[in-house]
């Protein structure tokens, strides 16, 4: 699973801690999601998309192997 | 620990001994309830870490028990190293091993 969280964060000029606070998880947890180690739940993905004013499909994409 | 010390080092009547043995279990039950309540307020990454730690800990404990059972059938046993008390310790040890593995896996 690929994601564009880092790009979206950069657009808003947010640190990982800022985003983590907005979506209600720990900074380490967000780092784990951003680096692709942890796949978030649908609720968390939707919450993340909402704070970035975008869609889940923009934030998360399947890898070639997963398609 | 204090209960173990009291029960092994002191001489009490059986009802008092049973009471000393049961008190830690009550406190442990309270701990479990608190642990479960705290688990529900963790974020989902930390929940996953705890869940995997418990799964790994349980699996390793089950494996050890199975091994000890099978060795017992061969008349090989060592109560000093693998008594009930020691098994409780190993169980916690396995949980922490699982916790460390899971923490490393998710980088939390």
């Amino acid at each position: 699973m690929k994601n564009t969280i880092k790009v979206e964060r950069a657009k808003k000029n947010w640190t990982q801690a800022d985003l983590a606070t907005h979506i209600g998880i720990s900074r380490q947890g967000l780092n784990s999601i951003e680096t692709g180690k942890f796949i978030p739940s649908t609720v968390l993905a939707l919450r993340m998309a909402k704070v970035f004013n975008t869609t889940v499909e923009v934030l998360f994409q399947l890898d070639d192997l997963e398609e | 620990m204090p209960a173990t010390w009291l029960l092994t080092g002191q001489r009490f009547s059986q009802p008092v001994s049973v009471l000393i043995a049961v008190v830690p279990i009550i406190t442990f039950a309270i701990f479990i309830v608190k642990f479960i309540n705290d688990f529900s307020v963790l974020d989902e990454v930390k929940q996953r870490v705890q869940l995997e730690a418990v799964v790994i800990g349980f699996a390793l404990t089950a494996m050890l028990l199975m091994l000890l059972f099978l060795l017992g059938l061969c008349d090989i046993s060592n109560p000093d190293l693998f008594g009930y008390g020691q098994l409780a310790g190993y169980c916690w040890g396995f949980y922490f091993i699982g916790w460390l593995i899971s923490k490393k896996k998710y980088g939390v």
Side-chain angles (χ1 to χ4, degrees):
Chain A
M1 179 85 85
K2 296 177 288 186
N3 70 71
T4 57
I5 297 169
K6 200 172 181 178
V7 175
E8 295 297 328
R9 269 200 309 111
K11 283 182 193 171
K12 281 201 175 275
N13 210 5
W14 279 355
T15 62
Q16 282 188 343
D18 293 333
L19 176 58
T21 307
H22 275 87
I23 60 174
I25 63 165
S26 63
R27 192 203 57 78
Q28 299 99 314
L30 178 66
N31 183 58
S32 186
I33 293 166
E34 203 173 282
T35 54
K37 290 175 184 168
F38 181 81
I39 309 299
S41 68
T42 311
V43 173
L44 193 59
L46 286 164
R47 214 183 286 160
M48 224 179 280
K50 194 177 177 183
V51 297
F52 285 134
N53 203 17
T54 184
T55 61
V56 173
E57 289 85 351
V58 170
L59 274 182
F60 299 97
Q61 307 91 32
L62 290 171
D63 280 330
D64 296 338
L65 293 170
E66 291 169 325
E67 283 174 10
Chain B
M1 281 296 194
T4 308
W5 178 78
L6 282 170
L7 292 169
T8 52
Q10 314 293 318
R11 283 224 168 264
F12 296 105
S13 61
Q14 195 167 32
V16 176
S17 296
V18 169
L19 192 70
I20 293 167
V22 167
V23 167
I25 302 306
I26 295 166
T27 54
F28 191 70
I30 293 164
F31 164 76
I32 290 169
V33 170
K34 196 179 178 319
F35 183 81
I36 291 167
N37 287 341
D38 288 350
F39 180 83
S40 63
V41 297
L42 291 173
D43 70 48
E44 60 188 60
V45 183
K46 287 180 178 172
Q47 280 184 352
R48 176 74 67 86
V49 168
Q50 288 298 325
L51 189 66
E52 286 190 11
V54 170
V55 167
I56 292 167
F58 172 80
L60 290 175
T61 304
M63 195 172 70
L64 177 65
L65 288 172
M66 201 166 64
L67 175 70
L68 292 174
F69 166 72
L70 293 169
L71 288 175
L73 294 178
C74 310
D75 289 329
I76 300 168
S77 65
N78 188 340
D80 294 337
L81 277 177
F82 299 105
Y84 287 123
Q86 285 83 355
L87 284 175
Y90 292 134
C91 187
W92 277 108
F94 290 148
Y95 161 78
F96 282 113
I97 288 168
W99 182 68
L100 289 171
I101 290 169
S102 195
K103 264 177 78 84
K104 195 172 186 307
K105 180 180 167 185
Y106 294 114
V108 181

